[in-house]
Amino acid sequence: MQSLSNARRNSLLLVSYYYPPLGMGGVQRVAALTRHLSEIGWHVTVLTVDAVDYPAYDSSLLDWVPASTRVYRAPSQDISSIRSLLRRRQTHGSSSANDLGSRLSRLMMLPDGRVTAVPSMLRAMSEIVADSQPDVVVTSSPPPSIHLVGLWLKKFLGIPWVADFRDIWSPQSETKHATNLHRRL
């Protein structure tokens, strides 16, 4: 087997909804993955989302991302950000209205409330694939909907795909599903 130093530099597309400057453990893991893959010879391109409503920001994590890493940020219109914006604008909102909105979004969004970011990520693909020519795509969840991007790249462009599940992912997990159909899907 040829070592990476003797072979052409391999190109990897990393797709993650949560990426610096967002904070917390899952973001640190993906930022470190970007750095370590670059250190062992991979040319890493990242696809993530633009600013989203999130409880923790840590701009120091941007220092973990090598300068050679190109980061694409697709617009995100996820339902959680929209609900949060509406709650902030409400002056006399009732908790029952917020509860109803939360229940409706859980019923309508499959596999999760971040699935609305997938179309804008896929629209960015032609530029990203032309620029980086990835040999492999790695999708890192949560949210599970991010894996739809990897599935699309594998199915329609033939790019090998690795799905990284950062959190528990099994039928026995503690995840609460809106309906039995949601659980089965």
Side-chain angles (χ1 to χ4, degrees):
M1 184 172 183
Q2 200 176 29
S3 72
L4 283 177
S5 60
N6 294 334
R8 76 169 181 85
R9 189 157 187 196
N10 294 310
S11 180
L12 181 140
L13 173 59
L14 176 61
V15 183
S16 180
Y17 188 91
Y18 301 109
Y19 200 76
L22 301 180
M24 299 184 14
V27 178
Q28 292 174 7
R29 184 174 181 280
V30 176
L33 183 62
T34 304
R35 183 181 69 218
H36 295 311
L37 286 168
S38 295
E39 288 172 353
I40 63 168
W42 287 90
H43 174 72
V44 180
T45 301
V46 175
L47 173 60
T48 187
V49 294
D50 213 347
V52 294
D53 185 44
Y54 193 68
Y57 277 79
D58 183 353
S59 58
S60 72
L61 292 176
L62 291 168
D63 295 337
W64 295 20
V65 179
S68 62
T69 302
R70 182 138 187 217
V71 179
Y72 291 84
R73 295 188 182 274
S76 173
Q77 297 82 26
D78 70 75
I79 195 71
S80 299
S81 294
I82 294 167
R83 273 198 337 254
S84 178
L85 177 64
L86 291 174
R87 270 196 302 266
R88 283 194 297 265
R89 289 188 177 174
Q90 261 183 334
T91 55
H92 301 288
S94 70
S95 63
S96 62
N98 288 333
D99 291 345
L100 177 61
S102 181
R103 283 194 302 261
L104 285 173
S105 70
R106 280 198 334 264
L107 286 171
M108 293 170 29
M109 300 295 160
L110 281 172
D112 55 69
R114 307 290 193 258
V115 72
T116 54
V118 171
S120 64
M121 292 179 119
L122 291 177
R123 279 191 295 275
M125 273 310 142
S126 61
E127 178 185 353
I128 294 169
V129 169
D131 286 349
S132 66
Q133 300 177 351
D135 297 303
V136 65
V137 62
V138 175
T139 54
S140 187
S141 70
S145 57
I146 209 70
H147 295 306
L148 295 173
V149 176
L151 176 64
W152 188 91
L153 287 167
K154 178 182 173 157
K155 184 171 182 148
F156 294 106
L157 299 181
I159 301 171
W161 167 42
V162 176
D164 171 35
F165 294 90
R166 292 192 314 261
D167 291 340
I168 296 171
W169 186 266
S170 73
Q172 295 78 30
S173 74
E174 297 296 317
T175 303
K176 293 184 181 182
H177 299 282
T179 68
N180 282 336
L181 175 64
H182 287 77
R183 181 185 52 75
R184 289 171 59 180
L185 288 172

